[in-house]
Amino acid sequence: MSASQIDAVALDGAGPLYDQIRRAIRDLILNGAWPPGTVVPPEHALMERLGASRMTVHRALGQLAREGLITRRRRSGTIVASPPASHAMLDILSIPEEVRGLGHEYSYRILARRDGRALRPVVALFELGRAVEVVRLTVLHYADGVPHVLEERVIHLATVPAAEQEQFVAIPPGDWLLQNSLWSQAEHAISAVAAEADQAKLLAIGEGEPCLLVERRTWNQGDPVTAVRLLYPGGRHRFVGRFGPYGNV
Amino acid sequence: MSASQIDAVALDGAGPLYDQIRRAIRDLILNGAWPPGTVVPPEHALMERLGASRMTVHRALGQLAREGLITRRRRSGTIVASPPASHAMLDILSIPEEVRGLGHEYSYRILARRDGRALRPVVALFELGRAVEVVRLTVLHYADGVPHVLEERVIHLATVPAAEQEQFVAIPPGDWLLQNSLWSQAEHAISAVAAEADQAKLLAIGEGEPCLLVERRTWNQGDPVTAVRLLYPGGRHRFVGRFGPYGNV
DNA sequence: AGCGTTTAATTGCATATGCAATTGAAGAGG
DNA sequence: CCTCTTCAATTGCATATGCAATTAAACGCT
């Protein structure tokens, strides 16, 4: 932890002190200023830097630990945690992980790639107001050689410029983005649709068969990152979740 | 808060004191011993009862408040919170609420009711090992007079005996259960299926059209409460959720 | 170098204390 | 009866202090 890093912790004067500290550190993590693995200053250092008591700093860090943003160990100190790969029913972000978790062999194929200006539906989807440069990809994912899910994706080059050079030969675009971009907000929608002729052919099912459509849009600090439509053959897939009346108590 | 109520708070000696207190009170709430609206003893009363300092009691109650199980107000005190009606994407438990939230007029009709022993699929669904007494219901819900969702439900009479006498004329079974039973765990699954002939007719769609199928099973402290299958016409419905990489930060 | 022991950095927990903020309830005054 | 003021119950926040638990790193011994 360098001096510049600890100096980055700045309070805003709004609300309780412990919460100012919590939000200050949380924002550094969510903004990417303190990426996963960063060593957070020890309590007594923050205490001196911020002029707060140790218990107050401790309270702020304790809450961040409970929220999962940091992990703490006695003597070793506090480090920024890695975001969990998936943390709820629909937050399956890595299709290879999903397929291997089901006990199947994973493979994928890029069916098409077109770089250029976003088409009108994409512009509307992200409420952009103007056409921007994007990468458009169509990917078919296989489980044990059988088509598993059809992916159509748009990546925004303004937010993720490195995508222009990437060929996605070793790693599918969804996983590549997880490693090479930040995201702070996502929205997904799930619905049932009938497979169109070309989709059905790719997925090796009949035209008109029911499919589960998962659409996800992702932003980082308000800037669009990517949008993806995942089409799962209906008969073979269910999404399962567990919860209690007050949440996951 | 009577003496018997405060005496119900019992510590188990495992782990940190503040967490023992938190779990003790949490369990009283989750078990239904302290239903929503119950007045929780003030900090100084718990402090005397448990022999802990006020700060330690405060820490336990503070965490429960953050978890949403209690609400606290200065001077007024602490009361057990009502479980939120819906708290995430798929936790739409009240169909009337869902329909009215979309700005439509709600109505429903009980299409069929059969009481008796559970059929084999239900026995398997809840891993019961033997047939038990259940109520089986088929309900069609309408939004502005248009079929909205088809509900097939099984209610376990051993866990919810009052269901036997209820006719569900004023309130649909899902909402009646919310008011007349407790649940501690739920599991849901979502998938896409083709509408069968009879289902399609009821929903006023074509046979084979894609539908979103939500299946939910509910338990209270390990005892089965209800199972429901909700069939939504695919084209008209999407479930939407928002989240961040570390959860809902 | 390898191995056990000691040290010390860091977090975790609990207490005691004091004051601030909120607000229901009691009381005062008309 | 109504309104305004005062009081006090209750939670919220911050500090100071002390000790316990964990464990990486330093040390010392062979």
Side-chain angles (χ1 to χ4, degrees):
Chain A
M1 176 60 51
S2 72
S4 67
Q5 277 174 307
I6 189 169
D7 285 348
V9 183
L11 305 185
D12 59 9
L17 183 54
Y18 78 89
D19 207 55
Q20 294 182 47
I21 298 172
R22 185 185 68 84
R23 282 183 284 108
I25 295 175
R26 182 201 63 183
D27 289 346
L28 286 168
I29 294 172
L30 294 181
N31 287 331
W34 289 5
T38 303
V39 175
V40 177
E43 293 180 355
H44 64 80
L46 287 166
M47 179 179 155
E48 288 187 5
R49 155 93 177 116
L50 301 170
S53 76
R54 202 198 127 208
M55 283 305 290
T56 301
V57 172
H58 183 72
R59 183 172 177 180
L61 293 176
Q63 288 204 21
L64 288 171
R66 244 175 290 118
E67 292 169 12
L69 272 78
I70 59 178
T71 60
R72 318 195 71 198
R73 279 173 66 203
R74 284 162 167 149
R75 164 72 198 185
S76 310
T78 302
I79 61 171
V80 176
S82 302
S86 69
H87 68 92
M89 187 182 66
L90 277 179
D91 311 355
I92 298 165
L93 302 177
S94 168
I95 292 172
E97 193 180 290
E98 177 192 353
V99 169
R100 294 195 186 106
L102 295 168
H104 299 295
E105 179 76 16
Y106 174 73
S107 59
Y108 74 99
R109 205 155 64 86
I110 306 275
L111 301 181
R113 171 174 183 154
R114 285 184 44 189
D115 296 24
R117 293 206 170 277
L119 301 180
R120 195 163 313 162
V122 173
V123 173
L125 193 64
F126 280 102
E127 293 132 22
L128 293 175
R130 59 193 180 77
V132 295
E133 291 293 320
V134 296
V135 177
R136 295 198 300 145
L137 291 159
T138 306
V139 186
L140 188 54
H141 302 263
Y142 301 86
D144 283 340
V146 177
H148 179 79
V149 54
L150 179 64
E151 168 182 353
E152 296 178 85
R153 183 181 291 274
V154 167
I155 302 172
H156 288 260
L157 285 174
T159 320
V160 196
E164 187 157 25
Q165 302 305 320
E166 176 61 40
Q167 297 304 313
F168 307 110
V169 290
I171 178 172
D175 289 63
W176 182 87
L177 280 166
L178 278 183
Q179 294 172 21
N180 293 276
S181 67
L182 286 170
W183 61 285
S184 60
Q185 267 293 305
E187 186 187 85
H188 52 218
I190 187 165
S191 53
V193 299
E196 295 171 13
D198 51 343
Q199 297 168 337
K201 191 173 175 189
L202 290 170
L203 289 170
I205 59 176
E207 183 178 348
E209 276 193 35
C211 290
L212 212 52
L213 175 66
V214 176
E215 298 169 285
R216 181 161 45 227
R217 300 185 284 167
T218 311
W219 292 263
N220 186 40
Q221 309 295 320
D223 299 321
V225 175
T226 186
V228 63
R229 294 161 51 96
L230 300 169
L231 195 69
Y232 290 85
R236 294 205 290 270
H237 293 282
R238 331 171 76 215
F239 291 93
V240 179
R242 274 180 175 273
F243 57 92
Y246 293 93
N248 296 310
V249 185
Chain B
M1 175 60 54
S2 71
S4 67
Q5 277 174 307
I6 189 171
D7 285 348
V9 184
L11 307 184
D12 59 8
L17 182 54
Y18 78 89
D19 207 54
Q20 295 181 48
I21 298 172
R22 184 184 68 83
R23 282 183 284 109
I25 295 176
R26 182 201 63 183
D27 290 347
L28 286 169
I29 295 172
L30 261 38
N31 288 331
W34 289 5
T38 303
V39 175
V40 177
E43 293 180 354
H44 65 80
L46 287 167
M47 180 180 155
E48 287 185 8
R49 154 92 176 116
L50 301 170
S53 74
R54 200 196 130 213
M55 283 306 290
T56 301
V57 172
H58 183 73
R59 183 172 177 179
L61 293 176
Q63 288 203 22
L64 288 171
R66 257 194 314 283
E67 293 169 12
L69 273 77
I70 59 178
T71 60
R72 318 194 71 198
R73 279 174 65 204
R74 283 162 168 147
R75 164 71 198 183
S76 309
T78 302
I79 61 171
V80 177
S82 301
S86 67
H87 68 91
M89 186 182 67
L90 278 179
D91 311 354
I92 299 165
L93 302 178
S94 167
I95 293 172
E97 194 180 289
E98 177 192 352
V99 169
R100 295 196 185 106
L102 294 168
H104 299 296
E105 178 76 16
Y106 174 72
S107 59
Y108 74 101
R109 203 155 67 84
I110 306 275
L111 300 181
R113 171 174 182 154
R114 284 185 45 191
D115 296 23
R117 295 204 169 277
L119 302 180
R120 194 163 314 161
V122 173
V123 174
L125 193 64
F126 280 102
E127 293 130 22
L128 293 176
R130 59 190 181 78
V132 295
E133 291 293 321
V134 295
V135 177
R136 295 198 302 145
L137 291 159
T138 305
V139 186
L140 187 55
H141 302 263
Y142 301 86
D144 283 340
V146 176
H148 180 77
V149 55
L150 179 64
E151 168 182 354
E152 296 179 83
R153 182 181 292 273
V154 167
I155 304 172
H156 289 259
L157 285 174
T159 319
V160 196
E164 189 157 25
Q165 301 306 320
E166 176 63 36
Q167 295 305 314
F168 308 112
V169 290
I171 179 171
D175 289 64
W176 182 88
L177 280 167
L178 278 182
Q179 294 171 21
N180 294 277
S181 67
L182 287 169
W183 60 285
S184 61
Q185 267 293 303
E187 184 187 87
H188 53 216
I190 187 165
S191 53
V193 298
E196 295 171 14
D198 51 343
Q199 297 168 337
K201 192 173 175 190
L202 290 170
L203 288 170
I205 59 175
E207 182 178 348
E209 275 193 36
C211 291
L212 211 50
L213 175 65
V214 176
E215 298 169 284
R216 181 162 45 228
R217 299 185 285 166
T218 311
W219 293 262
N220 186 39
Q221 308 295 320
D223 299 322
V225 175
T226 186
V228 63
R229 293 160 52 94
L230 300 169
L231 195 69
Y232 290 85
R236 273 183 261 150
H237 294 281
R238 330 171 78 215
F239 291 92
V240 179
R242 277 181 172 272
F243 57 92
Y246 293 92
N248 297 310
V249 184

